[in-house]
């Protein structure tokens, strides 16, 4: 058989996001599956390590969980001997749970993976507020704690990995500052003031600006959104380089008015490897500023229905506002390997906090960033048989049966599914109340996983010269694909694993790689040649999941490492 070679130079980046009607044309809106009834704890915080283990942890100072530590391993935490585990490792390969030992209170803390794939997690409550905890992605590893790892106590802070491999920790309750961890150089021992966090704490009650949304801009600065305002920060020199307009609409977007935020896919261009592509942030959901006050009196106000988009790399950028099909607070936003955004979990009324949300929203939403604006298009308006169906940016997906309210989490898995866990909107574990504590892990299959109707997926066979990538490096990916192929609809994406808590996935990042050519070397065997990201500001050093996408359907991800 003569080898067929189709060389395609992908010049127009827009062709990377072509419509994929295959699944949708059959009305496939995804499905849910119970993965594990109980992992013994409620997954308030969740991270995926490059060994495909999920690390989950709760808080430590509110009594028993549903899983115990082996005898003789009970630590003295929060002033008493505690034989319950509050952190576990979940093995995706065989669904087994391994208990981990935390030694201080991790309640409402933050985290990031470092360049070696180690989880660096910081802050919390009481004895945990200045602790930095480390967990290596190794068999039998356990938490190692540095009790004085932070200069300031940080409860409800956000973490972001930086181009130099350090992690910046921003804010916390009544903490109007930031700092860098782990502390290895002189500048790491310095505390940097951030008045913006005081200015956005409008009522001086530590409200509506906690867990600020932090995104590393491709120009190397840090985008920070709190309450309804945003800045671009040169964190090295502690200079605000840009003040963005107030997000219109009068809603607050950060805890307890918890919305969510993503940095939309960064599209890298061929033969322009030194450029900084434009970067856009999408923020959805939230509540009116006084919603928590009302909810505590039993009045549950409608959550925000709006999303805002802002091109953060542009001077004089303006918010582009649009409506979701339904109101939502505490929705998690996840970047899918295709470059689409999933909005999942949350409620339509009330706010974040103990028992203060109502009307769980059980349907996730799929958001297509490159479609024309929808302003709330619902499935009712979508004609699945034609392109007309995708005039809007939103698609309402299949519902789960389990409410996922305060303290729930979501994470993209390497196989393209989405893991959902947590929800404990109660003081203690309580299984007999309106919205009981959830110990389960479910998975959601996004519409691209049309195994039900036989639509095939690309499957990665190899990465050359190796999965260890260098910046700007040219590399190739071999993959198999059965069925009708179109090389113009093939592209590569790289997704950074995130740390999910309080509806915000810290460090989430997706790069659409610059491609040189895609060829079919023999029937069903393809090679795509592309370039690794050019700079550490585009892709901080560390592990990423690499996906081949064909016509809106991603392969399973392969872990790659860039440094
Ligand atoms: C976990 O929950 C189950 C079912 O309620 C109960 O039987 C079991 O004793 C609990 N385990 C622990 C360690 O609390
Ligand atoms: C646990 O630690 C506290 C101090 O944090 C101490 O007062 C207490 O005696 C310790 N308990 C035990 C059983 O060692
Ligand atoms: C799951 O896999 C891990 C790692 O290979 C192993 O240690 C563990 O015993 C397995 N658990 C079960 C229930 O098979
Ligand atoms: C892009 O650069 C590659 C290698 O540097 C070159 O072979 C190719 O022709 C260039 N393509 C365009 C469109 O300039
Ligand atoms: C490279 O990208 C930048 C930013 O997107 C753009 O302004 C510039 O024109 C591009 N240069 C070339 C040679 O395409
Ligand atoms: C969506 O509708 C609102 C008014 O309901 C309008 O202000 C906004 O500009 C619209 N957004 C887009 C992108 O069309
Ligand atoms: C669970 O919640 C119910 C209703 O709020 C309450 O009556 C009960 O005391 C709670 N149980 C525990 C163990 O906290």
């Amino acid at each position: 058989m003569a080898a067929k070679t189709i060389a395609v130079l992908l010049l127009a980046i827009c062709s990377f996001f072509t419509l994929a009607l295959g699944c949708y044309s059959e009305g496939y809106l995804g499905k849910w599956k119970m993965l594990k009834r109980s992992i013994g704890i409620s997954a308030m915080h969740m991270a995926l390590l490059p060994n495909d283990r999920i690390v989950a942890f709760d808080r430590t100072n509110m009594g028993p969980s549903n899983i115990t530590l082996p005898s003789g391993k009970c630590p003295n935490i929060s002033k008493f001997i505690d034989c319950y585990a509050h952190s576990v490792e979940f093995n995706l390969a065989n669904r087994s749970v391994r208990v981990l030992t935390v030694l201080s209170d991790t309640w409402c803390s933050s985290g990031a993976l470092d360049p070696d794939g180690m989880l660096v997690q910081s802050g919390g409550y009481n004895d945990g507020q200045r602790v930095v905890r480390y967990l290596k992605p190794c068999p039998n590893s356990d938490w190692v704690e540095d009790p004085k790892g932070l200069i300031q106590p940080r409860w409800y802070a956000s973490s972001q990995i930086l181009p130099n491999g350090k992690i910046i920790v921003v804010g916390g309750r009544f903490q109007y500052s930031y700092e860098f961890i782990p502390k290895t150089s002189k500048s790491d021992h310095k505390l940097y003031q951030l008045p913006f966090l005081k200015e956005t704490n409008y009522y001086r009650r530590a409200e509506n600006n906690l867990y600020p949304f932090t995104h590393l801009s491709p120009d190397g600065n840090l985008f920070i959104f709190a309450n309804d305002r945003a800045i671009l920060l040169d964190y090295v020199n502690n200079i605000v380089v840009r003040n963005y307009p107030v997000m219109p609409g009068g809603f607050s977007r950060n805890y307890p008015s918890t919305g969510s935020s993503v940095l939309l896919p960064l599209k890298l261009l061929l033969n322009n490897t030194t450029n900084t592509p434009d970067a856009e942030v999408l923020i959805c959901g939230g509540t009116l500023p006084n919603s928590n006050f009302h909810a505590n009196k039993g009045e549950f106000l409608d959550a925000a229905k709006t999303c805002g988009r802002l091109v953060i790399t542009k001077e004089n950028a303006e918010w582009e506002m649009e409506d979701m099909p339904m109101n939502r607070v505490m929705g998690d936003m996840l970047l899918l390997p295709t470059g689409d955004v999933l909005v999942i979990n949350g409620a339509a009324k009330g706010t974040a906090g103990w028992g203060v949300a109502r009307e769980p929203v059980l349907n996730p939403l799929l958001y297509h960033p490159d479609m024309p604006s929808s302003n709330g298009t619902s499935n009712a308006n979508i004609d699945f048989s034609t392109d007309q169906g995708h005039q809007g940016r939103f698609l309402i997906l299949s519902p789960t049966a389990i409410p996922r309210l305060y303290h729930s989490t979501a994470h993209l898995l390497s196989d393209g599914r989405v893991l959902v866990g947590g929800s404990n909107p109660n003081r203690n574990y309580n299984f007999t109340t309106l919205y009981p504590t959830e110990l389960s892990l479910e998975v959601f299959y996004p519409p691209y996983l049309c195994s039900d109707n036989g639509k095939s997926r690309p499957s990665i066979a190899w990465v050359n010269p190796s999965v260890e990538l260098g910046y700007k490096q040219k590399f190739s990916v071999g993959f198999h694909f059965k069925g009708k192929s179109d090389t113009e609809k093939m592209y590569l994406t790289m997704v950074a694993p995130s740390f999910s808590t309080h509806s915000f996935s810290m460090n989430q990042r997706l790069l659409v790689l610059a491609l040189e050519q895609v060829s079919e070397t023999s029937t069903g065997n393809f090679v795509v040649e592309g370039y690794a990201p050019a700079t550490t500001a585009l892709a901080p050093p560390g592990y990423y999941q690499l996906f081949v996408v064909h016509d809106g359907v991603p392969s399973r991800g392969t872990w790659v490492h860039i440094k």
Side-chain angles (χ1 to χ4, degrees), residues 246-306:
V246 171
M247 191 170 170
F251 289 94
S252 296
R253 309 286 177 171
N254 298 83
Y255 178 87
S257 290
T258 306
S260 193
S261 176
V262 287
L263 181 67
L264 289 176
L266 297 171
K267 298 170 184 178
L268 309 183
L269 298 172
L270 188 63
N271 295 350
N272 196 349
T273 47
T274 54
N275 75 330
T276 54
D278 275 339
E280 210 174 347
V281 162
L282 172 72
I283 294 174
C284 291
T287 74
L288 288 169
N290 59 358
S291 186
N292 187 255
F293 171 79
H294 283 280
N296 281 311
K297 295 195 300 178
E299 300 157 14
F300 304 101
L301 306 185
D302 285 343
K305 202 177 183 184
T306 50

Side-chain angles (χ1 to χ4, degrees), residues 320-323 373-375 393:
E320 180 200 334
M321 301 303 292
E322 62 193 307
D323 283 350
S373 150
S374 63
N375 261 338
R393 286 179 182 150

Side-chain angles (χ1 to χ4, degrees), residues 230-506:
I231 56 169
L232 191 66
L233 178 73
D234 168 354
Y235 50 81
V236 178
N237 300 303
N238 195 10
I239 295 169
V240 174
V241 293
R242 195 167 292 157
N243 279 288
Y244 298 98
V246 171
M247 191 170 170
F251 289 94
S252 296
R253 309 286 177 171
N254 298 83
Y255 178 87
S257 290
T258 306
S260 193
S261 176
V262 287
L263 181 67
L264 289 176
L266 297 171
K267 298 170 184 178
L268 309 183
L269 298 172
L270 188 63
N271 295 350
N272 196 349
T273 47
T274 54
N275 75 330
T276 54
D278 275 339
E280 210 174 347
V281 162
L282 172 72
I283 294 174
C284 291
T287 74
L288 288 169
N290 59 358
S291 186
N292 187 255
F293 171 79
H294 283 280
N296 281 311
K297 295 195 300 178
E299 300 157 14
F300 304 101
L301 306 185
D302 285 343
K305 202 177 183 184
T306 50
C307 300
R309 272 172 80 149
L310 185 73
V311 181
I312 65 170
T313 39
K314 239 191 215 159
E315 294 279 355
N316 309 317
E318 293 288 341
W319 288 98
E320 180 200 334
M321 301 303 292
E322 62 193 307
D323 283 350
M324 293 185 278
M326 68 271 270
N327 310 59
R328 196 181 300 244
V329 57
M330 295 181 287
D332 281 83
M333 286 165 73
L334 291 185
L335 294 165
L336 297 176
T338 50
D340 288 336
V341 180
L342 189 72
V343 188
I344 195 165
N345 301 340
K349 286 193 157 117
T351 69
W354 302 135
V356 285
R358 291 294 183 276
E359 296 187 15
V361 182
L362 302 174
N363 298 82
L365 296 174
L366 191 65
Y367 180 86
H368 303 281
D370 290 353
M371 301 280 164
S373 150
S374 63
N375 261 338
T377 304
S378 73
N379 291 4
N381 303 331
I382 289 180
D383 177 355
F384 290 110
S385 61
T386 69
D387 288 19
Q388 296 298 312
H390 290 267
Q391 292 273 318
R393 286 179 182 150
F394 284 107
L395 188 65
I396 302 174
L397 303 178
S398 303
T400 174
I402 303 177
R404 298 285 177 177
L405 302 176
Y406 189 45
H407 291 160
S408 60
T409 47
H411 203 293
L412 173 70
L413 299 179
S414 299
D415 61 16
R417 297 182 300 174
V418 170
L419 188 70
V420 169
S423 192
N424 181 22
N426 315 295
R427 255 189 122 62
N428 306 305
Y429 281 22
N430 192 331
F431 305 106
T432 57
T433 188
L434 178 58
Y435 297 116
T437 301
E438 261 308 327
L439 309 179
S440 66
L441 289 181
E442 286 173 287
V443 275
F444 178 66
Y445 292 67
Y448 51 61
L449 295 177
C450 295
S451 56
D452 293 10
N453 56 25
K455 176 146 174 160
S456 50
R457 296 176 84 174
S459 127
I460 295 178
W462 47 260
V463 180
N464 265 346
S466 111
V467 292
E468 192 72 56
L469 304 176
Y471 288 94
K472 291 186 195 175
Q473 188 201 333
K474 186 172 174 180
F475 71 106
S476 51
V477 180
F479 64 98
H480 307 301
F481 183 77
K482 286 197 222 96
K484 195 166 174 290
S485 63
D486 181 348
T487 50
E488 288 199 45
K489 292 180 176 172
M490 291 175 174
Y491 56 97
L492 290 178
T493 58
M494 251 170 74
V495 186
S498 52
F499 179 88
S500 165
T501 191
H502 289 73
S503 312
F504 179 48
S505 288
M506 302 171 195

Side-chain angles (χ1 to χ4, degrees), residues 48-64:
L48 176 67
L49 303 186
N51 56 358
D52 277 321
R53 303 290 204 277
I54 285 284
V55 175
F57 56 95
D58 200 343
R59 58 193 297 200
T60 58
N61 70 333
M62 278 288 172

Side-chain angles (χ1 to χ4, degrees), residues 76 78-81:
N76 182 358
S78 303
K79 299 191 175 61
F80 64 94
I81 303 291

Side-chain angles (χ1 to χ4, degrees), residues 9-244:
L9 214 56
L10 293 170
L11 291 172
I13 201 81
C14 50
S15 70
F16 290 0
F17 287 91
T18 44
L19 292 175
L21 287 172
C23 306
Y24 309 127
S25 65
E26 288 160 52
Y28 184 78
L29 297 170
K31 69 173 182 192
W32 289 84
K33 187 171 150 190
M34 177 60 71
L35 202 59
K36 185 108 180 163
R37 287 262 164 222
S38 172
I39 55 167
I41 65 158
S42 189
M44 184 195 296
H45 313 79
M46 194 154 77
L48 176 67
L49 303 186
N51 56 358
D52 277 321
R53 303 290 204 277
I54 285 284
V55 175
F57 56 95
D58 200 343
R59 58 193 297 200
T60 58
N61 70 333
M62 278 288 172
S65 66
N66 193 246
I67 190 166
T68 51
L69 291 163
S71 58
K73 281 201 72 183
C74 312
N76 182 358
I77 40 172
S78 303
K79 299 191 175 61
F80 64 94
I81 303 291
D82 191 351
C83 289
Y84 288 91
H86 303 282
S87 176
V88 299
E89 181 196 77
F90 180 69
N91 184 342
L92 288 156
N94 64 9
R95 302 185 195 180
S96 65
V97 171
R98 183 167 74 86
V99 292
L100 302 175
T101 320
V102 274
L103 303 173
S104 58
D105 195 357
T106 46
W107 188 19
C108 300
S109 52
S110 63
L113 293 196
D114 84 348
D116 298 322
M118 177 167 65
L119 179 55
V120 179
Q121 190 279 322
S122 61
Y125 188 59
N126 277 347
D127 60 347
Q129 31 186 5
R130 285 186 57 198
V131 179
V132 177
R133 307 169 191 85
Y134 300 93
L135 185 73
K136 287 186 178 170
C138 311
N140 306 318
S141 63
D142 207 341
W143 291 103
V144 173
E145 307 205 3
D146 174 1
K148 298 252 161 62
L150 288 171
I151 300 168
Q152 288 299 101
R154 299 198 186 268
W155 192 30
Y156 296 90
S158 296
S159 294
Q160 168 70 51
I161 176 94
L162 298 173
N164 67 0
K166 277 284 159 68
I167 291 155
I168 188 171
V169 191
V170 180
R173 221 165 171 269
F174 296 116
Q175 298 302 330
Y176 311 121
S177 64
Y178 62 92
E179 59 184 286
F180 303 98
I181 56 169
K183 303 213 182 290
T184 52
S185 73
K186 204 173 158 207
S187 56
D188 299 337
H189 290 279
K190 211 178 134 187
L191 184 69
Y192 299 79
Q193 297 304 319
L194 190 56
F196 169 73
L197 293 177
K198 191 169 192 175
E199 291 156 17
T200 50
N201 182 12
Y202 297 147
Y203 308 128
R204 299 288 176 267
R205 285 200 302 255
E207 255 182 17
N208 297 341
N209 72 342
L210 298 183
Y211 276 124
F213 302 139
T214 48
H215 299 289
L216 178 66
S217 173
D219 63 12
N221 293 311
L222 189 69
F223 173 85
I224 308 176
F225 183 98
N227 204 330
D228 59 359
R229 288 175 49 190
I231 56 169
L232 191 66
L233 178 73
D234 168 354
Y235 50 81
V236 178
N237 300 303
N238 195 10
I239 295 169
V240 174
V241 293
R242 195 167 292 157
N243 279 288
Y244 298 98

